[in-house]
Amino acid sequence: MPILLWWFPAVVEDRETSSTTTTFPDGSQSTTQTVRSRMGLTIDKEFVKSVPGVLKLVQMFLCFMAFLLSEIGVCFWTCGAYNFFSFVTITSLLYELWIFLWYLSHGYMKISRVCWEKVDFIGTCVVIGLNLLASIILAAQAYDGTGSAAAAFGFFATISFIAGAYVTWKLWKEGQEKVRIAKLEAQAAAGSPDFEQGSPPPYDSAINPNAI
């Protein structure tokens, strides 16, 4: 929550600074700096079309359907399984929504020191485990067809999360490789003895980790 409170004004507010210099008759000068704020969101439209963006949209849809079906299902004595499943699916939906908006609005650029691919990968792995567990419990204790359908959507969501974790893992590793190559090139430019001749060329990837 503190990150969200910090991120929203940082993304929404765009400041424009202008300076005015006044020259007095005695030759002295005075500079006045004016800061103007204007509202405007930065939206990355290409992220929606990318593989990670499409996967997150699919994940949110599947989680929403699973949550909706679990809420309208008949539980009787198995309400605990339904409640746990509903909690897991809605939490997963909110998590993916936050990550999706974080990338879509370029909010991740505000904290460049954090490897967001690594954060997303770890978070997705946690979501995979919770959704798989909740889906298995609900499938075993579902009383009606609606509960079974909710469990099925839970399994589908889990599969989509596994695909998302794989893509995020690739982005994370490719980002690490690019950092390593950049350090080697910097050492070569500085004439460092640690630089090894014949180092591999920069990794040319079709997926740019900075695009999300």
Side-chain angles (χ1 to χ4, degrees):
M1 182 61 69
I3 294 181
L4 290 177
L5 294 177
W6 172 87
W7 159 72
F8 182 76
V11 174
V12 172
E13 185 178 11
D14 183 14
R15 295 188 174 185
E16 180 180 358
T17 304
S18 60
S19 300
T20 304
T21 302
T22 304
T23 303
F24 297 98
D26 58 354
S28 61
Q29 294 182 341
S30 175
T31 302
T32 303
Q33 191 176 54
T34 304
V35 179
R36 300 175 181 176
S37 298
R38 53 188 180 182
M39 307 297 286
L41 288 173
T42 302
I43 303 297
D44 186 2
K45 297 181 180 179
E46 295 300 321
F47 173 68
V48 181
K49 304 175 185 178
S50 65
V51 174
V54 172
L55 279 174
K56 292 190 181 304
L57 290 175
V58 172
Q59 292 161 2
M60 288 188 287
F61 171 75
L62 293 175
C63 286
F64 174 75
M65 291 300 299
F67 171 78
L68 182 63
L69 290 171
S70 65
E71 286 295 304
I72 63 178
V74 180
C75 61
F76 288 106
W77 61 84
T78 58
C79 288
Y82 280 79
N83 292 336
F84 177 65
F85 184 84
S86 298
F87 171 77
V88 169
T89 51
I90 194 62
T91 302
S92 302
L93 171 61
L94 294 177
Y95 168 76
E96 288 302 326
L97 178 60
W98 172 69
I99 291 292
F100 180 81
L101 295 177
W102 188 247
Y103 286 141
L104 183 67
S105 61
H106 286 169
Y108 68 96
M109 291 184 176
K110 304 296 181 179
I111 311 179
S112 57
R113 292 178 177 269
V114 178
C115 180
W116 290 107
E117 290 83 6
K118 181 180 180 179
V119 173
D120 190 12
F121 174 74
I122 295 175
T124 304
C125 288
V126 174
V127 169
I128 290 172
L130 291 175
N131 277 269
L132 181 60
L133 177 63
S135 299
I136 292 175
I137 294 175
L138 183 59
Q141 301 184 15
Y143 182 80
D144 59 352
T146 305
S148 300
F153 271 100
F155 285 118
F156 292 149
T158 303
I159 295 174
S160 67
F161 284 126
I162 293 175
Y166 173 73
V167 172
T168 306
W169 177 80
K170 286 187 62 179
L171 295 176
W172 175 23
K173 292 303 179 181
E174 288 168 6
Q176 288 184 326
E177 180 67 13
K178 289 184 178 182
V179 170
R180 187 184 72 84
I181 295 299
K183 289 182 179 180
L184 290 175
E185 291 178 345
Q187 292 175 357
S192 173
D194 295 334
F195 177 76
E196 299 178 0
Q197 298 295 332
S199 298
Y203 187 84
D204 185 13
S205 171
I207 304 177
N208 182 6
N210 295 325
I212 61 170

